[in-house]
Amino acid sequence: MSLLSFLSKPIASYMANLLRQDAMNAVALQEKIFRKLIRKAKHTAFGKDHRFKEIKTYDDFISRVPVRDYEAMKPYIDRMLSGESNILWPGVPLYVSKTSGTTSGIKYIPITADSISNHINSTRNAMLSYIAETGKADFLKGKLIFISGSPALDEKNGLKIGRLSGIVNHHVPGYLRRNQLPSWDTNCIEDFEEKIDHIVSETINENMSMISGIPPWVQMYFDKLVSKTGKKIKDIFPGFTLFIYGGVNYEPYRQKFEQTIGKKIDSIELYPASEGFIAFQDLQKKTDLYLNINSGIFFEFIPASEYFSENPKRISLKDVNPGVHYAIIVNNNAGLWGYSLGDTIKFTSVNPYRIVVTGRIKHQITAFGEHVIAEEVQHALLDACAKHKAHVVEFTLAPQVTPPDGEKPYHEWFIEFDQLPEDIAAFSTTLNKSLMQQNIYYKDLIEGHVLQPLKIRLMKRDSFINYMRSQGKLGGQNKLPRLSNERSVGTMDTLRSTSRQYQ
């Protein structure tokens, strides 16, 4: 055992105890953060415009600060980007995270001297929680890789601008940096495929013990390693014991991952965003996540079923209920106020507060009132794969509202398999039945003959990678939407051209 591995264990135990104490006092800590945020921002432009000096209670805050998406926040963001100070938070941001929005194009999110610790310490706490629970710390003695965006930063009006993962790369602690790969020059390569090729060359003969990144892009890295060596990942990296991921649900990728690796491997799920590090997996025996209730973010929630109504109910942590899908709203020490993150979550527990991510508020299928969400889709697909011994590489789906030849409408699934089910028709039937069990509205529409059962389009190998490449969104923090209520003609035509249909 290395000295770092040895020393990490008492530190991990201490940190895990602190997190347990925070969890027991979550509501009080959230109220404390709320008061601190309002007090510190009352002299900013946003604070003056919204009369922060008069805010004494959460109800006062609701009455003065509406829920906003990025477009509604943009006038303040633009002033901040022009170099003005004291706009959303005292002073100017330490960094500005540049991220691709699904509806707003490029977004620029402030990261301040007060909020940077939220992004840095949360990953550390997830790793320490893992060590505290399992006693496994040997992964710290090998080489560590974070497949991320470029750490190279642009500068505009005195502000440092870059991708979140690149910004965070500047703050990797020294005790990890000495084992970190890839090299700075490789990390700065913008073309993702070229970057992966360089990462393969730099790591193929190293003792990689921990690998981190978004699952589909790590899978691309693994595939290149296997292609080059003809070996399983476990034989290339015998010391590889821990995978850390975020951005997408790992479960649809797990079978393919473990097949490529050649063994089961521990994993830690993170829920980071440029707007704030929301939650992380602190226990291997649970798949839900620890909500980051003491890290500079005051959380609000809107029931997803009310989100698009004229006057949706808006609540703080103390009033949430388990099992309800909520849109998550953040207020933080980077200067975001009533900011709709766009994600939906569900509380699995309120004592302590633990969550699972269920999808995107705008990424659901409601073309016929079915309100199908990502969580239901993923569960149905996993169920079908388990019953029919299939492995999925990637998938997405959308409604076919006006099919040709007078057919009834249906949901169209685009699926790339690594291992096809023996009977695709039986797989499709299982998938449809499972989704009916997940969603009562979908079941009613099928049984009422408003919709016909779903149809599957089998995608050729690398169809989704090629599509993301064609959109300039290969690698980094880019993710393929799981489902959409509207059919993008260009997207669907491109995907359909590389597929064949099965019902």
Side-chain angles (χ1 to χ4, degrees), residues 138-172:
D138 282 350
F139 69 91
L140 292 172
K141 69 182 181 182
K143 295 293 184 181
L144 320 173
I145 187 171
F146 303 90
I147 297 178
S148 64
S150 170
L153 304 177
D154 298 323
E155 190 163 326
K156 180 181 179 181
N157 297 321
L159 300 173
K160 296 178 179 178
I161 302 174
R163 301 289 181 181
L164 175 63
S165 56
I167 290 169
V168 169
N169 198 283
H170 287 262
H171 294 265
V172 173

Side-chain angles (χ1 to χ4, degrees), residues 2-47:
S2 69
L3 179 61
L4 178 58
S5 299
F6 176 77
L7 293 176
S8 69
K9 292 188 175 183
I11 296 171
S13 179
Y14 173 76
M15 182 55 64
N17 186 52
L18 284 182
L19 293 175
R20 283 192 292 269
Q21 291 179 31
D22 284 351
M24 293 171 61
N25 297 284
V27 171
L29 286 169
Q30 280 285 281
E31 291 174 351
K32 182 180 178 180
I33 288 171
F34 171 74
R35 292 192 298 271
K36 184 176 181 179
L37 293 176
I38 297 300
R39 183 173 64 251
K40 191 156 185 179
K42 65 183 178 182
H43 296 300
T44 63
F46 190 95

Side-chain angles (χ1 to χ4, degrees), residues 164-229:
L164 175 63
S165 56
I167 290 169
V168 169
N169 198 283
H170 287 262
H171 294 265
V172 173
Y175 58 85
L176 293 180
R177 188 172 292 282
R178 65 186 180 84
N179 286 346
Q180 182 186 359
L181 289 171
S183 65
W184 177 270
D185 288 343
T186 291
N187 230 355
C188 289
I189 296 173
E190 290 291 345
D191 183 273
F192 187 70
E193 289 180 286
E194 180 185 354
K195 183 174 186 170
I196 288 294
D197 286 339
H198 278 73
I199 291 175
V200 167
S201 296
E202 289 188 3
T203 60
I204 197 167
N205 295 314
E206 296 288 349
N207 175 30
M208 304 304 302
S209 56
M210 187 200 81
I211 296 172
S212 175
I214 293 178
W217 308 136
V218 175
Q219 183 66 57
M220 181 186 286
Y221 165 59
F222 285 168
D223 288 344
K224 285 181 177 288
L225 283 164
V226 171
S227 176
K228 194 165 186 175
T229 65

Side-chain angles (χ1 to χ4, degrees), residues 259-271:
Q259 182 185 56
T260 306
I261 295 167
K263 65 177 181 180
K264 292 185 180 297
I265 194 164
D266 288 347
S267 62
I268 301 174
E269 180 178 2
L270 309 178
Y271 181 7

Side-chain angles (χ1 to χ4, degrees), residues 81-112:
L81 289 173
S82 71
E84 289 188 57
S85 63
N86 301 317
I87 301 301
L88 292 165
W89 194 252
V92 296
L94 188 63
Y95 301 101
V96 176
S97 175
K98 180 180 178 181
T99 181
S100 298
T102 54
T103 58
S104 303
I106 294 176
K107 301 190 296 183
Y108 295 92
I109 305 297
I111 297 175
T112 65

Side-chain angles (χ1 to χ4, degrees), residues 238-305:
F240 176 39
T241 58
L242 182 62
F243 174 53
I244 300 180
Y245 68 95
V248 298
N249 186 348
Y250 178 38
E251 291 309 313
Y253 303 96
R254 187 183 291 276
Q255 278 187 318
K256 168 67 173 172
F257 251 67
E258 292 179 349
Q259 182 185 56
T260 306
I261 295 167
K263 65 177 181 180
K264 292 185 180 297
I265 194 164
D266 288 347
S267 62
I268 301 174
E269 180 178 2
L270 309 178
Y271 181 7
S274 294
E275 295 86 350
F277 205 120
I278 307 302
F280 57 85
Q281 184 180 359
D282 62 326
L283 296 171
Q284 287 291 294
K285 61 186 177 184
K286 291 182 175 290
T287 57
D288 51 9
L289 309 179
Y290 175 95
L291 186 65
N292 230 343
I293 41 85
N294 192 19
S295 190
I297 302 173
F298 175 69
F299 293 104
E300 298 179 85
F301 306 92
I302 295 175
S305 60

Side-chain angles (χ1 to χ4, degrees), residues 386-458:
K387 289 178 179 176
H388 295 275
K389 297 181 173 59
H391 296 171
V392 168
V393 174
E394 190 61 277
F395 74 98
T396 190
L397 64 144
Q400 176 56 275
V401 179
T402 55
D405 303 324
E407 285 188 76
K408 285 186 172 63
Y410 56 87
H411 287 187
E412 189 170 31
W413 290 61
F414 299 82
I415 307 177
E416 180 182 338
F417 287 96
D418 176 63
Q419 180 176 310
L420 275 166
E422 290 183 3
D423 186 338
I424 190 65
F427 180 91
S428 180
T429 299
T430 299
L431 183 61
N432 196 67
K433 286 181 178 178
S434 184
L435 188 57
M436 290 170 68
Q437 292 172 354
Q438 297 285 330
N439 187 298
I440 188 66
Y441 305 109
Y442 180 74
K443 179 181 179 183
D444 289 344
L445 290 167
I446 294 291
E447 292 182 343
H449 304 291
V450 175
L451 295 179
Q452 62 174 306
L454 61 86
K455 294 187 178 184
I456 294 174
R457 284 198 169 272
L458 297 179

